[in-house]
Amino acid sequence: MTEQFQLTVEIRSVNHRFLEVSTKFPKEWVEAEIHTKKLLSSLLSRGKLDVFVHVKQNEQQAPKIKVNLPTLLAYKEAREEVNSILPLTKEWSMQEILAISDALIVESAETPNEVILQAVNIAVDEAAQSLISMREREGQQLYEVVKGFRAELMQHIEDIRQVSSQAVDKYRQKLLQRLQEFTTSEVIEDRLLTEIAVFAERVDIAEELDRLTSHFEQLAETLNETGPIGRKLDFLSQEIHREINTIGSKNQSSVASIAVVQAKSTLEKLREQVQNIE
């Protein structure tokens, strides 16, 4: 609030990958509008912001009224010229004088630009701090949600890890049974070893599991960082998705297939929440 006006700033925010600020100021407050965008850019890093400024003028003192002498004198000369040709019987009336355009000049006290800037700066900063506090509360809730999804993902991957080692043994038993139906025991062992080696290499997911473990550790570390982490979390979720897809393509187990589907479902929920994190 100033002696001339009351100022209210409203900031509406929705999620956005980058910072986009839209302002609605009185048209004569251009400098204050530019200042506001710079201030918000220094305080926030992402979000689509709509900034509304509401100005309510205080009760003002009586305006100063000045007589525009040059205009009145020019009008007087014109009137006298007309009177010399066509005599006028009436004297000037106040109504006639007031009817003259710009005969009287009304001067209203202008608010200094520095007063406007200071008022806007205080109001915008208060509104931005309220927005930041709200985002921090939402961020704490998102932290718990994302942490929960991380735990779910780790459990799904652990389920896959438990059955992955059984895949080769099951394939060996199945292949041995088939080979015994068509060949003698002398050639079974060599053929069996070759086929198992090829199969084991094709379905091996040890590297994918190791990378997922690393990604989960990075996810936990990132959640505890200060400052903007949204983009980093988004990148990690993409990497996790890539590894789970690879595991799904190598999978030879119905149990692992279920775990892969569940992991993808959980990851999709995590990625949706990550889009809301700055």
Side-chain angles (χ1 to χ4, degrees), residues 15 141-142 145-146 149 233 267-278:
N15 184 50
Q141 295 173 351
L142 284 173
V145 171
V146 172
F149 287 145
L233 290 176
L267 180 60
E268 185 60 30
K269 296 175 185 177
L270 183 147
R271 295 181 72 177
E272 289 178 1
Q273 296 301 325
V274 163
Q275 301 307 312
N276 296 318
I277 298 177
E278 184 172 341

Side-chain angles (χ1 to χ4, degrees), residues 25-49:
F25 275 62
K27 61 181 180 180
E28 63 272 16
W29 287 18
V30 176
E31 187 173 350
E33 189 170 9
I34 295 173
H35 174 76
T36 294
K37 291 183 177 181
K38 289 182 179 179
L39 177 59
L40 291 174
S41 296
S42 68
L43 296 174
L44 302 164
S45 60
R46 65 181 290 182
K48 188 177 186 304
L49 308 182

Side-chain angles (χ1 to χ4, degrees), residues 219-238:
L219 185 59
E221 293 172 358
T222 303
L223 286 173
N224 292 316
E225 290 180 3
T226 57
I229 60 173
R231 293 183 184 178
K232 188 173 181 180
L233 290 176
D234 187 46
F235 172 76
L236 283 172
S237 65
Q238 292 178 36

Side-chain angles (χ1 to χ4, degrees), residues 150-184:
R150 172 182 175 271
E152 287 184 28
L153 276 171
M154 291 179 65
Q155 183 58 57
H156 296 322
I157 299 307
E158 182 59 29
D159 293 342
I160 294 171
R161 188 190 301 273
Q162 293 298 323
V163 298
S164 64
S165 60
Q166 303 172 10
V168 176
D169 289 337
K170 289 183 177 180
Y171 181 76
R172 181 180 183 282
Q173 294 298 327
K174 186 176 181 180
L175 183 61
L176 177 59
Q177 183 178 358
R178 288 185 177 180
L179 287 174
Q180 286 176 338
E181 295 176 359
F182 298 103
T183 186
T184 61

Side-chain angles (χ1 to χ4, degrees), residues 101-117:
S101 177
D102 297 328
L104 301 178
I105 300 175
V106 180
E107 292 185 342
S108 58
E110 292 187 2
T111 304
N113 194 48
E114 56 270 18
V115 173
I116 294 175
L117 283 175

